[in-house]
Amino acid sequence: MFKNSWFPTVFDDFFDTEITTHRTAPAVNVKDNENAYIMEVAAPGLKKDFCRISINDEGNLCIAIENKFEHKEEDKKEHYLRREFSYTNYQQAYALPKDVDRNGIAAKVEDGVLTITLPKVKKEETKVSRSIDIA
């Protein structure tokens, strides 16, 4: 198996978490291409109204998911023998790589996945063309 010595450090830095308010965190995938990092947060049944994404004062990406469960009156003719649905809140801050364009971050919720696109800052190549005097 190929092992790259810098990968764990970069990976760990990207997922350096500061805040976790619940022990069970949703699964997160991170993809990297030449233009952006793409985070996919698994959240079945998630609606966009339940999500908050922001950049805090330290420049970290903050993700908060609040399940807004409404307690409804139960039917008096039936009752639960077992109830396993879990409605929990989740909050976490991620330290972002230095090459993320923080003003261009976008997010969407589709099919139970919160996708956050973190575009990379475009590096402009500096052309150094000049005439050199010969002494």
Side-chain angles (χ1 to χ4, degrees):
M1 180 177 187
F2 176 74
K3 186 173 182 178
N4 189 336
S5 62
W6 65 267
F7 183 72
T9 303
V10 171
F11 186 75
D12 292 341
D13 289 347
F14 187 80
F15 284 106
D16 180 23
T17 56
E18 290 189 3
I19 302 169
T20 303
T21 59
H22 193 272
R23 291 186 343 215
T24 306
V28 177
N29 294 332
V30 178
K31 295 187 270 185
D32 178 9
N33 63 43
E34 65 183 62
N35 298 317
Y37 299 100
I38 311 292
M39 290 182 72
E40 300 169 328
V41 181
L46 180 70
K47 296 179 183 174
K48 72 176 187 176
D49 296 341
F50 297 177
C51 301
R52 284 191 334 269
I53 301 172
S54 61
I55 302 291
N56 66 13
D57 291 340
E58 290 81 34
N60 298 323
L61 179 72
C62 298
I63 300 172
I65 299 173
E66 296 177 354
N67 283 316
K68 299 176 182 179
F69 177 66
E70 295 178 14
H71 295 282
K72 297 181 180 178
E73 291 293 322
E74 291 186 23
D75 186 348
K76 301 296 180 191
K77 296 179 184 174
E78 63 182 28
H79 66 279
Y80 286 95
L81 295 176
R82 182 177 180 136
R83 196 175 219 172
E84 291 186 346
F85 287 2
S86 176
Y87 299 95
T88 58
N89 294 335
Y90 166 77
Q91 183 175 345
Q92 193 154 3
Y94 295 92
L96 295 174
K98 294 184 187 317
D99 63 343
V100 169
D101 176 3
R102 285 161 172 73
N103 292 321
I105 296 172
K108 68 178 180 176
V109 174
E110 188 172 72
D111 298 329
V113 177
L114 169 62
T115 302
I116 304 166
T117 303
L118 307 159
K120 294 180 181 178
V121 175
K122 302 230 189 272
K123 294 182 182 178
E124 294 184 25
E125 292 184 28
T126 306
K127 295 182 181 181
V128 183
S129 59
R130 62 184 177 97
S131 180
I132 299 173
D133 294 330
I134 299 173

